[in-house]
């Protein structure tokens, strides 16, 4: 499974960015898709996840500001980030929990990360 993330960049506080991550390869099914982030000197943390049925989960720090969505036909997950704060600065990683074969267990796959920098 290959995950190609895009959309990161430099934005001023209060601005918006939209991240995208497309999964490709011989995928049987994708269950959960999500975004995680890692700020300098900190551990990677969950930002948001979305199931194949559309159920979402958000970190408290981004609730009301970020929106996760997915296009199942395109195996793509999005993260709309509004009202960005300097503390949102981090490398953002997309993650998918996928099954490559009907008889195989699910596994987690990670994208390469995209840098989001929010200036004050």
């Amino acid at each position: 499974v290959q995950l190609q993330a895009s959309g990161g960049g430099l934005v001023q506080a209060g601005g918006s960015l939209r991240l995208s991550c497309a999964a490709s390869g011989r995928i049987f099914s994708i269950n959960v898709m999500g975004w995680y982030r890692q700020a300098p000197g900190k551990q990677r943390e969950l930002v948001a996840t979305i199931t194949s049925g559309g159920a979402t989960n958000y970190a408290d720090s981004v609730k009301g500001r970020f929106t996760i969505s997915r296009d199942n036909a395109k195996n793509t997950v999005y993260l709309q980030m509004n009202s960005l704060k300097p503390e949102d600065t981090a490398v953002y990683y997309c993650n998918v929990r996928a099954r490559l074969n009907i008889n195989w267990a699910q596994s987690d796959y990670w994208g390469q990360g995209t840098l989001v920098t929010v200036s004050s």
Side-chain angles (χ1 to χ4, degrees), residues 6-12 16-19 81 84 88-90 92 114-119:
S6 61
L10 173 64
V11 64
Q12 288 188 331
S16 298
L17 283 174
R18 187 186 193 219
L19 305 183
M81 304 185 293
L84 282 160
D88 295 317
T89 295
Y92 284 69
T114 184
L115 177 62
V116 172
T117 304
V118 184
S119 63

Side-chain angles (χ1 to χ4, degrees), residues 34-92:
W35 291 94
Y36 292 73
R37 68 186 181 187
Q38 187 167 17
K42 295 187 177 181
Q43 290 187 332
R44 189 174 298 188
E45 63 177 3
L46 178 145
V47 176
T49 61
I50 184 168
T51 69
S52 57
T56 58
N57 179 51
Y58 294 93
D60 287 343
S61 59
V62 307
K63 283 181 180 177
R65 301 188 296 122
F66 291 10
T67 302
I68 190 170
S69 61
R70 63 189 281 175
D71 184 330
N72 290 328
K74 296 181 179 180
N75 286 341
T76 300
V77 62
Y78 306 96
L79 186 68
Q80 178 66 43
M81 304 185 293
N82 299 328
S83 302
L84 282 160
K85 305 175 181 180
E87 51 264 44
D88 295 317
T89 295
V91 177
Y92 284 69

Side-chain angles (χ1 to χ4, degrees), residues 102-119:
I102 191 172
N103 296 311
W104 297 359
Q106 296 178 94
S107 296
D108 283 324
Y109 299 90
W110 293 90
Q112 81 282 7
T114 184
L115 177 62
V116 172
T117 304
V118 184
S119 63

